[in-house]
Amino acid sequence: MTSRHDVFVRIAQIVLGGILYKRLMFKDALKTLEQGMSTLRQKTPEGIYTAGGCYWLARIAKRKQQWPKAHQYITECLRVIQAIYPHGHRRVVWAEKLSQEIIDSEKQGIR
């Protein structure tokens, strides 16, 4: 298996993880996302799929009320997305909105 092929497999895992999350299959989504992120963080730390994986992991951590993890993932997501889109983009807006939701939920102690 080539390194490039491995990256494509990991990208597919990130996409699949997002789909599983949307289908309310949270345990499978978490497992799939973590597998995908393990390689992507090393190979393409500034890539859009790395940011996407962090976004979905932040949503799962928020759902589980794991506030430190949620903050860590959304901070990484925002850092990468803002580096890719310095002048703004809808993905930046989504990540900022999720960041605010995490802060608000943590204060209220809800999902």
Side-chain angles (χ1 to χ4, degrees), residues 1-2 6 10-11 13 23 33 55 60 64 69 72-73 81 98 101-102 104 111:
M1 181 184 303
T2 65
D6 191 40
R10 300 308 177 181
I11 289 171
Q13 286 179 314
R23 299 281 183 216
L33 286 165
Y55 177 84
I60 291 170
K64 290 178 150 188
K69 277 187 174 182
Q72 173 193 345
Y73 290 135
I81 288 178
L98 179 59
E101 287 176 13
I102 290 169
D104 294 343
R111 294 179 188 184

PDB file of all heavy atoms in Angstrom, residues 1-2 6 10-11 13 23 33 55 60 64 69 72-73 81 98 101-102 104 111:
ATOM      1  N   MET A   1       0.846  -1.173   0.000  1.00  0.00           N
ATOM      2  CA  MET A   1       0.000   0.000   0.000  1.00  0.00           C
ATOM      3  C   MET A   1       0.894   1.240   0.000  1.00  0.00           C
ATOM      4  O   MET A   1       1.775   1.370   0.833  1.00  0.00           O
ATOM      5  CB  MET A   1      -0.897  -0.025   1.235  1.00  0.00           C
ATOM      6  CG  MET A   1      -1.825   1.139   1.306  1.00  0.00           C
ATOM      7  SD  MET A   1      -2.831   1.212   2.819  1.00  0.00           S
ATOM      8  CE  MET A   1      -3.669  -0.336   2.782  1.00  0.00           C
ATOM      9  N   THR A   2       0.664   2.114  -0.924  1.00  0.00           N
ATOM     10  CA  THR A   2       1.477   3.318  -1.002  1.00  0.00           C
ATOM     11  C   THR A   2       1.010   4.342   0.018  1.00  0.00           C
ATOM     12  O   THR A   2      -0.111   4.287   0.519  1.00  0.00           O
ATOM     13  CB  THR A   2       1.392   3.939  -2.410  1.00  0.00           C
ATOM     14  OG1 THR A   2       0.051   4.380  -2.615  1.00  0.00           O
ATOM     15  CG2 THR A   2       1.798   2.962  -3.484  1.00  0.00           C
ATOM     16  N   ASP A   6      -2.835   5.322   1.201  1.00  0.00           N
ATOM     17  CA  ASP A   6      -3.195   5.345   2.613  1.00  0.00           C
ATOM     18  C   ASP A   6      -3.909   6.650   2.968  1.00  0.00           C
ATOM     19  O   ASP A   6      -4.894   6.653   3.701  1.00  0.00           O
ATOM     20  CB  ASP A   6      -1.950   5.153   3.477  1.00  0.00           C
ATOM     21  CG  ASP A   6      -2.295   4.905   4.929  1.00  0.00           C
ATOM     22  OD1 ASP A   6      -3.275   4.169   5.186  1.00  0.00           O
ATOM     23  OD2 ASP A   6      -1.605   5.449   5.803  1.00  0.00           O
ATOM     24  N   ARG A  10      -7.741   7.190   4.373  1.00  0.00           N
ATOM     25  CA  ARG A  10      -8.033   7.969   5.587  1.00  0.00           C
ATOM     26  C   ARG A  10      -9.041   9.076   5.296  1.00  0.00           C
ATOM     27  O   ARG A  10      -9.912   9.357   6.115  1.00  0.00           O
ATOM     28  CB  ARG A  10      -6.756   8.557   6.179  1.00  0.00           C
ATOM     29  CG  ARG A  10      -5.731   7.530   6.570  1.00  0.00           C
ATOM     30  CD  ARG A  10      -6.304   6.457   7.454  1.00  0.00           C
ATOM     31  NE  ARG A  10      -5.289   5.462   7.744  1.00  0.00           N
ATOM     32  CZ  ARG A  10      -5.471   4.399   8.462  1.00  0.00           C
ATOM     33  NH1 ARG A  10      -6.648   4.147   8.970  1.00  0.00           N
ATOM     34  NH2 ARG A  10      -4.509   3.546   8.665  1.00  0.00           N
ATOM     35  N   ILE A  11      -8.932   9.696   4.138  1.00  0.00           N
ATOM     36  CA  ILE A  11      -9.912  10.722   3.756  1.00  0.00           C
ATOM     37  C   ILE A  11     -11.296  10.087   3.641  1.00  0.00           C
ATOM     38  O   ILE A  11     -12.289  10.653   4.112  1.00  0.00           O
ATOM     39  CB  ILE A  11      -9.491  11.415   2.438  1.00  0.00           C
ATOM     40  CG1 ILE A  11      -8.274  12.305   2.691  1.00  0.00           C
ATOM     41  CG2 ILE A  11     -10.647  12.225   1.851  1.00  0.00           C
ATOM     42  CD1 ILE A  11      -7.644  12.864   1.442  1.00  0.00           C
ATOM     43  N   GLN A  13     -12.338   7.582   5.275  1.00  0.00           N
ATOM     44  CA  GLN A  13     -12.797   7.307   6.631  1.00  0.00           C
ATOM     45  C   GLN A  13     -13.370   8.567   7.282  1.00  0.00           C
ATOM     46  O   GLN A  13     -14.349   8.492   8.026  1.00  0.00           O
ATOM     47  CB  GLN A  13     -11.663   6.741   7.489  1.00  0.00           C
ATOM     48  CG  GLN A  13     -11.344   5.308   7.147  1.00  0.00           C
ATOM     49  CD  GLN A  13     -10.203   4.761   7.981  1.00  0.00           C
ATOM     50  OE1 GLN A  13      -9.186   5.415   8.152  1.00  0.00           O
ATOM     51  NE2 GLN A  13     -10.383   3.557   8.495  1.00  0.00           N
ATOM     52  N   ARG A  23     -26.143   9.848  10.558  1.00  0.00           N
ATOM     53  CA  ARG A  23     -27.091   8.726  10.663  1.00  0.00           C
ATOM     54  C   ARG A  23     -27.279   8.271  12.113  1.00  0.00           C
ATOM     55  O   ARG A  23     -27.877   7.227  12.364  1.00  0.00           O
ATOM     56  CB  ARG A  23     -26.609   7.533   9.826  1.00  0.00           C
ATOM     57  CG  ARG A  23     -26.487   7.820   8.376  1.00  0.00           C
ATOM     58  CD  ARG A  23     -27.836   7.778   7.733  1.00  0.00           C
ATOM     59  NE  ARG A  23     -27.689   7.982   6.306  1.00  0.00           N
ATOM     60  CZ  ARG A  23     -28.542   8.643   5.578  1.00  0.00           C
ATOM     61  NH1 ARG A  23     -29.601   9.166   6.122  1.00  0.00           N
ATOM     62  NH2 ARG A  23     -28.348   8.802   4.293  1.00  0.00           N
ATOM     63  N   LEU A  33     -13.666   7.857  12.592  1.00  0.00           N
ATOM     64  CA  LEU A  33     -12.967   9.147  12.566  1.00  0.00           C
ATOM     65  C   LEU A  33     -11.589   9.056  13.221  1.00  0.00           C
ATOM     66  O   LEU A  33     -10.614   9.603  12.705  1.00  0.00           O
ATOM     67  CB  LEU A  33     -13.802  10.222  13.256  1.00  0.00           C
ATOM     68  CG  LEU A  33     -15.000  10.716  12.464  1.00  0.00           C
ATOM     69  CD1 LEU A  33     -15.957  11.478  13.370  1.00  0.00           C
ATOM     70  CD2 LEU A  33     -14.552  11.587  11.304  1.00  0.00           C
ATOM     71  N   TYR A  55     -13.719  18.605  13.204  1.00  0.00           N
ATOM     72  CA  TYR A  55     -15.074  19.136  13.379  1.00  0.00           C
ATOM     73  C   TYR A  55     -16.020  18.038  13.871  1.00  0.00           C
ATOM     74  O   TYR A  55     -16.740  18.217  14.853  1.00  0.00           O
ATOM     75  CB  TYR A  55     -15.578  19.719  12.055  1.00  0.00           C
ATOM     76  CG  TYR A  55     -16.992  20.230  12.104  1.00  0.00           C
ATOM     77  CD1 TYR A  55     -17.261  21.514  12.559  1.00  0.00           C
ATOM     78  CD2 TYR A  55     -18.054  19.431  11.710  1.00  0.00           C
ATOM     79  CE1 TYR A  55     -18.558  21.992  12.615  1.00  0.00           C
ATOM     80  CE2 TYR A  55     -19.357  19.893  11.759  1.00  0.00           C
ATOM     81  CZ  TYR A  55     -19.610  21.180  12.209  1.00  0.00           C
ATOM     82  OH  TYR A  55     -20.894  21.636  12.263  1.00  0.00           O
ATOM     83  N   ILE A  60     -18.892  15.006  18.375  1.00  0.00           N
ATOM     84  CA  ILE A  60     -19.073  13.796  19.189  1.00  0.00           C
ATOM     85  C   ILE A  60     -18.678  14.067  20.635  1.00  0.00           C
ATOM     86  O   ILE A  60     -19.382  13.664  21.564  1.00  0.00           O
ATOM     87  CB  ILE A  60     -18.274  12.623  18.589  1.00  0.00           C
ATOM     88  CG1 ILE A  60     -18.893  12.195  17.255  1.00  0.00           C
ATOM     89  CG2 ILE A  60     -18.222  11.448  19.569  1.00  0.00           C
ATOM     90  CD1 ILE A  60     -18.061  11.208  16.462  1.00  0.00           C
ATOM     91  N   LYS A  64     -20.968  13.830  24.054  1.00  0.00           N
ATOM     92  CA  LYS A  64     -20.601  13.020  25.223  1.00  0.00           C
ATOM     93  C   LYS A  64     -20.264  13.890  26.444  1.00  0.00           C
ATOM     94  O   LYS A  64     -19.882  13.367  27.471  1.00  0.00           O
ATOM     95  CB  LYS A  64     -19.385  12.154  24.897  1.00  0.00           C
ATOM     96  CG  LYS A  64     -19.661  11.046  23.919  1.00  0.00           C
ATOM     97  CD  LYS A  64     -18.362  10.307  23.667  1.00  0.00           C
ATOM     98  CE  LYS A  64     -18.599   8.870  23.344  1.00  0.00           C
ATOM     99  NZ  LYS A  64     -17.339   8.123  23.299  1.00  0.00           N
ATOM    100  N   LYS A  69     -11.929  17.769  25.426  1.00  0.00           N
ATOM    101  CA  LYS A  69     -11.702  17.204  24.094  1.00  0.00           C
ATOM    102  C   LYS A  69     -12.427  18.030  23.033  1.00  0.00           C
ATOM    103  O   LYS A  69     -11.888  18.286  21.963  1.00  0.00           O
ATOM    104  CB  LYS A  69     -12.206  15.761  24.016  1.00  0.00           C
ATOM    105  CG  LYS A  69     -11.255  14.741  24.527  1.00  0.00           C
ATOM    106  CD  LYS A  69     -11.802  13.350  24.225  1.00  0.00           C
ATOM    107  CE  LYS A  69     -10.808  12.288  24.597  1.00  0.00           C
ATOM    108  NZ  LYS A  69     -11.299  10.948  24.259  1.00  0.00           N
ATOM    109  N   GLN A  72     -10.480  21.109  22.379  1.00  0.00           N
ATOM    110  CA  GLN A  72      -9.240  20.787  21.668  1.00  0.00           C
ATOM    111  C   GLN A  72      -9.513  20.559  20.185  1.00  0.00           C
ATOM    112  O   GLN A  72      -8.829  21.118  19.327  1.00  0.00           O
ATOM    113  CB  GLN A  72      -8.602  19.537  22.276  1.00  0.00           C
ATOM    114  CG  GLN A  72      -7.415  19.014  21.514  1.00  0.00           C
ATOM    115  CD  GLN A  72      -7.011  17.611  21.971  1.00  0.00           C
ATOM    116  OE1 GLN A  72      -7.428  17.143  23.029  1.00  0.00           O
ATOM    117  NE2 GLN A  72      -6.217  16.938  21.171  1.00  0.00           N
ATOM    118  N   TYR A  73     -10.518  19.754  19.875  1.00  0.00           N
ATOM    119  CA  TYR A  73     -10.819  19.446  18.480  1.00  0.00           C
ATOM    120  C   TYR A  73     -11.298  20.669  17.711  1.00  0.00           C
ATOM    121  O   TYR A  73     -10.871  20.898  16.588  1.00  0.00           O
ATOM    122  CB  TYR A  73     -11.876  18.340  18.385  1.00  0.00           C
ATOM    123  CG  TYR A  73     -11.408  16.981  18.817  1.00  0.00           C
ATOM    124  CD1 TYR A  73     -12.191  16.188  19.640  1.00  0.00           C
ATOM    125  CD2 TYR A  73     -10.176  16.465  18.398  1.00  0.00           C
ATOM    126  CE1 TYR A  73     -11.772  14.923  20.030  1.00  0.00           C
ATOM    127  CE2 TYR A  73      -9.753  15.209  18.790  1.00  0.00           C
ATOM    128  CZ  TYR A  73     -10.555  14.444  19.604  1.00  0.00           C
ATOM    129  OH  TYR A  73     -10.144  13.196  19.994  1.00  0.00           O
ATOM    130  N   ILE A  81      -8.791  25.518   9.349  1.00  0.00           N
ATOM    131  CA  ILE A  81      -9.702  26.153   8.389  1.00  0.00           C
ATOM    132  C   ILE A  81      -9.331  27.618   8.156  1.00  0.00           C
ATOM    133  O   ILE A  81      -9.347  28.091   7.020  1.00  0.00           O
ATOM    134  CB  ILE A  81     -11.167  26.030   8.866  1.00  0.00           C
ATOM    135  CG1 ILE A  81     -11.633  24.592   8.723  1.00  0.00           C
ATOM    136  CG2 ILE A  81     -12.078  26.935   8.059  1.00  0.00           C
ATOM    137  CD1 ILE A  81     -13.031  24.353   9.213  1.00  0.00           C
ATOM    138  N   LEU A  98     -20.095  26.081  15.993  1.00  0.00           N
ATOM    139  CA  LEU A  98     -19.943  24.912  16.857  1.00  0.00           C
ATOM    140  C   LEU A  98     -19.124  25.261  18.092  1.00  0.00           C
ATOM    141  O   LEU A  98     -19.436  24.821  19.198  1.00  0.00           O
ATOM    142  CB  LEU A  98     -19.297  23.745  16.106  1.00  0.00           C
ATOM    143  CG  LEU A  98     -19.067  22.478  16.933  1.00  0.00           C
ATOM    144  CD1 LEU A  98     -20.383  21.945  17.511  1.00  0.00           C
ATOM    145  CD2 LEU A  98     -18.375  21.413  16.104  1.00  0.00           C
ATOM    146  N   GLU A 101     -21.412  26.914  20.419  1.00  0.00           N
ATOM    147  CA  GLU A 101     -22.344  25.922  20.985  1.00  0.00           C
ATOM    148  C   GLU A 101     -21.679  25.114  22.093  1.00  0.00           C
ATOM    149  O   GLU A 101     -22.309  24.806  23.106  1.00  0.00           O
ATOM    150  CB  GLU A 101     -22.834  24.971  19.898  1.00  0.00           C
ATOM    151  CG  GLU A 101     -23.815  25.564  18.925  1.00  0.00           C
ATOM    152  CD  GLU A 101     -24.176  24.588  17.805  1.00  0.00           C
ATOM    153  OE1 GLU A 101     -23.866  23.376  17.918  1.00  0.00           O
ATOM    154  OE2 GLU A 101     -24.757  25.048  16.809  1.00  0.00           O
ATOM    155  N   ILE A 102     -20.418  24.754  21.891  1.00  0.00           N
ATOM    156  CA  ILE A 102     -19.679  23.983  22.901  1.00  0.00           C
ATOM    157  C   ILE A 102     -19.540  24.818  24.175  1.00  0.00           C
ATOM    158  O   ILE A 102     -19.785  24.315  25.282  1.00  0.00           O
ATOM    159  CB  ILE A 102     -18.299  23.544  22.367  1.00  0.00           C
ATOM    160  CG1 ILE A 102     -18.485  22.469  21.280  1.00  0.00           C
ATOM    161  CG2 ILE A 102     -17.411  23.035  23.483  1.00  0.00           C
ATOM    162  CD1 ILE A 102     -17.235  22.163  20.504  1.00  0.00           C
ATOM    163  N   ASP A 104     -21.430  27.349  25.164  1.00  0.00           N
ATOM    164  CA  ASP A 104     -22.749  27.512  25.785  1.00  0.00           C
ATOM    165  C   ASP A 104     -23.229  26.233  26.460  1.00  0.00           C
ATOM    166  O   ASP A 104     -23.770  26.270  27.570  1.00  0.00           O
ATOM    167  CB  ASP A 104     -23.780  27.954  24.744  1.00  0.00           C
ATOM    168  CG  ASP A 104     -23.494  29.343  24.190  1.00  0.00           C
ATOM    169  OD1 ASP A 104     -22.710  30.094  24.811  1.00  0.00           O
ATOM    170  OD2 ASP A 104     -24.053  29.677  23.121  1.00  0.00           O
ATOM    171  N   ARG A 111     -26.192  18.783  26.325  1.00  0.00           N
ATOM    172  CA  ARG A 111     -25.637  18.319  25.054  1.00  0.00           C
ATOM    173  C   ARG A 111     -26.013  19.321  24.002  1.00  0.00           C
ATOM    174  O   ARG A 111     -25.779  19.395  22.947  1.00  0.00           O
ATOM    175  CB  ARG A 111     -26.178  16.943  24.680  1.00  0.00           C
ATOM    176  CG  ARG A 111     -25.720  15.902  25.644  1.00  0.00           C
ATOM    177  CD  ARG A 111     -26.280  14.579  25.260  1.00  0.00           C
ATOM    178  NE  ARG A 111     -25.976  13.638  26.316  1.00  0.00           N
ATOM    179  CZ  ARG A 111     -26.255  12.383  26.266  1.00  0.00           C
ATOM    180  NH1 ARG A 111     -26.856  11.876  25.246  1.00  0.00           N
ATOM    181  NH2 ARG A 111     -25.952  11.588  27.251  1.00  0.00           N
TER     182      ARG A 111
END
